[in-house]
Amino acid sequence: MYCSNCGEQISDKAEVCPKCGVRPFHIRNHCFNCGKKVNESQEICVDCGVSLNKRSVSVSVTSDAKEPLLIALLSFLITGLGQMIVGQVKKGAVILICSVIFGMITFGMSAFITVPIAIIDAYLIAKKKKEGKEVGEWEFF
């Protein structure tokens, strides 16, 4: 990705450009996809064809965001389900399988530890995604 202010190549996970200090997509001097100079009134980049409209960018960032409280409730009902819904499918499956195995070994007593951890994790990951932050497949809290 390229900074939309200075055109410098930046990480897709960067919240602020390390060169100019501007948040990506707040100023449109350069295309965020190819880095070419653009006019602020342009709707698309004539070099790469990507839409420069701020609305389409903000919708794509938050379109998969779920309500954190709903995700936490789902993780309470079925441990690991919240993680699966926010896109951490492998992590959610591992949490579900481990909680079932530990529950059988401890006759359900492990639920007092695994369920609250899964709920808190699901809530905080959903909150990060709703804020538009990048979240890794195995990232916790």
Side-chain angles (χ1 to χ4, degrees):
M1 179 169 88
Y2 293 87
C3 175
S4 56
N5 181 46
C6 67
E8 188 73 22
Q9 187 168 6
I10 58 175
S11 168
D12 290 340
K13 295 180 180 182
E15 292 185 34
V16 176
C17 175
K19 183 178 178 188
C20 67
V22 173
R23 290 190 185 278
F25 312 118
H26 284 266
I27 297 175
R28 253 186 349 194
N29 295 330
H30 293 83
C31 174
F32 66 89
N33 189 50
C34 68
K36 300 289 182 178
K37 187 137 179 78
V38 296
N39 184 329
E40 286 232 10
S41 61
Q42 278 182 256
E43 294 292 322
I44 63 167
C45 176
V46 293
D47 288 321
C48 68
V50 73
S51 174
L52 300 173
N53 192 346
K54 290 181 183 179
R55 288 187 196 142
S56 66
V57 170
S58 64
V59 169
S60 67
V61 169
T62 60
S63 64
D64 64 344
K66 309 289 189 278
E67 191 59 41
L69 287 176
L70 176 63
I71 298 301
L73 176 65
L74 292 173
S75 195
F76 171 74
L77 296 174
I78 300 175
T79 307
L81 181 61
Q83 285 80 0
M84 290 181 208
I85 291 174
V86 296
Q88 296 180 319
V89 178
K90 293 176 188 172
K91 181 177 113 179
V94 168
I95 290 172
L96 176 62
I97 292 167
C98 289
S99 68
V100 169
I101 292 171
F102 292 147
M104 291 188 329
I105 293 171
T106 63
F107 301 103
M109 295 304 292
S110 66
F112 290 110
I113 297 171
T114 58
V115 173
I117 290 172
I119 292 170
I120 293 168
D121 177 62
Y123 175 81
L124 292 175
I125 294 296
K127 187 175 175 186
K128 282 183 182 179
K129 285 201 140 198
K130 188 173 184 178
E131 293 170 351
K133 296 179 181 175
E134 290 287 326
V135 177
E137 173 72 23
W138 292 94
E139 184 175 335
F140 280 89
F141 304 109

